Amino acid sequence: MAEENRVVLIGGHGKVALLAAPKLVERGYAVDSMIRNAEHAAEVEAAGANPVVLDIESSDIDQLADAFKGASAVVFSAGAGGGNEQRTRAVDFEGAVRSMKAAQQAGVKRYVMVSYSRALVDVDTLDPQDSFYTYAKAKHDADAFLRETELDYTILGPGVLTQQPASKRVVLADQEGNLSGEPAQGEAPNTSRENVAEVITHVLANNAARRATVNFYDGGMPIVEAIV
């Protein structure tokens, strides 16, 4: 464990990160939230985090390593938001990989990636012309790179994100995002963003799901029992 229980949230102004920050603070962590727009600093501070203006898209490995130095964990919860293929690749894959390399350079072993439940398989089933393909490919490739590192990683795969309050209860899905071996019909089931924030906090505070991928949806099992 690093000297300080400090977590760096990449994508600190994102909906999941803003929900995760106060939960981490409540569990005794200091939280640095990386943002690219200084105008978002007040919202980050209101969530209990320390805003760090550093753009994941343009920052290099050394800059990121400096920001990570002394932290106990890095959480990647950034995203380009879709719509721009070049930017999606730049943030969701290239930026993610730089952050992994920077974590290793800074000596931070624990790394949590917020991915999505079908990241492993969508690249094999989607038409490359599909508007979602670039995002699916970026997340797939970032997850694959992470699994090959020596980082103490956890990859989180929620379903369709909602604004529902946290139930603190989930159901686990298989590596393809399916429940009980049955392929999902249409879109994957829902996962509330606040439940994602709860899971981030749980895996860090309890050192759970190390070097594992956890696909999950809103369900009936308490998070602390479902994810060990």
Side-chain angles (χ1 to χ4, degrees):
M1 182 66 74
E3 275 182 32
E4 180 185 23
N5 266 359
R6 179 167 62 91
V7 175
V8 180
L9 292 178
I10 303 171
H13 186 248
K15 293 183 177 71
V16 169
L18 286 173
L19 290 165
K23 298 179 190 299
L24 288 164
V25 169
E26 190 177 332
R27 294 300 291 266
Y29 290 95
V31 178
D32 283 349
S33 284
M34 276 178 47
I35 55 176
R36 64 190 180 95
N37 186 344
E39 293 179 3
H40 295 153
E43 283 180 81
V44 167
E45 288 174 343
N50 172 49
V52 177
V53 181
L54 189 61
D55 186 357
I56 187 64
E57 187 176 356
S58 59
S59 52
D60 62 28
I61 293 170
D62 289 341
Q63 290 172 306
L64 292 168
D66 283 344
F68 298 165
K69 200 168 294 179
S72 51
V74 171
V75 177
F76 190 94
S77 186
N84 182 316
E85 291 187 6
Q86 187 173 352
R87 207 168 160 255
T88 295
R89 190 74 182 169
V91 173
D92 292 281
F93 175 67
E94 293 165 7
V97 167
R98 283 197 303 277
S99 74
M100 296 169 205
K101 292 178 177 179
Q104 293 179 108
Q105 182 172 309
V108 181
K109 290 287 288 181
R110 196 73 171 102
Y111 187 104
V112 176
M113 168 63 76
V114 179
S115 186
Y116 77 102
S117 63
R118 288 187 52 81
L120 184 67
V121 294
D122 271 349
V123 288
D124 298 322
T125 57
L126 286 173
D127 183 333
Q129 301 305 312
D130 189 303
S131 60
F132 188 68
Y133 181 84
T134 301
Y135 175 79
K137 174 73 170 160
K139 296 303 286 183
H140 171 278
D141 292 354
D143 292 355
F145 188 94
L146 181 54
R147 292 187 184 100
E148 293 302 314
T149 69
E150 295 182 0
L151 291 167
D152 196 5
Y153 71 82
T154 302
I155 297 171
L156 301 180
V160 178
L161 296 174
T162 73
Q163 291 296 90
Q164 295 299 309
S167 62
K168 300 185 183 181
R169 293 174 176 268
V170 298
V171 58
L172 299 185
D174 67 17
Q175 64 176 0
E176 298 183 1
N178 302 326
L179 295 169
S180 304
E182 294 294 322
Q185 299 299 313
E187 288 188 318
N190 293 343
T191 310
S192 86
R193 287 181 174 87
E194 194 174 4
N195 265 348
V196 179
E198 289 284 352
V199 170
I200 290 169
T201 305
H202 165 68
V203 298
L204 288 177
N206 296 288
N207 206 17
R210 292 169 56 193
R211 291 194 68 82
T213 300
V214 182
N215 292 330
F216 63 99
Y217 309 123
D218 294 341
M221 185 177 290
I223 288 167
V224 294
E225 295 176 19
I227 303 171
V228 295

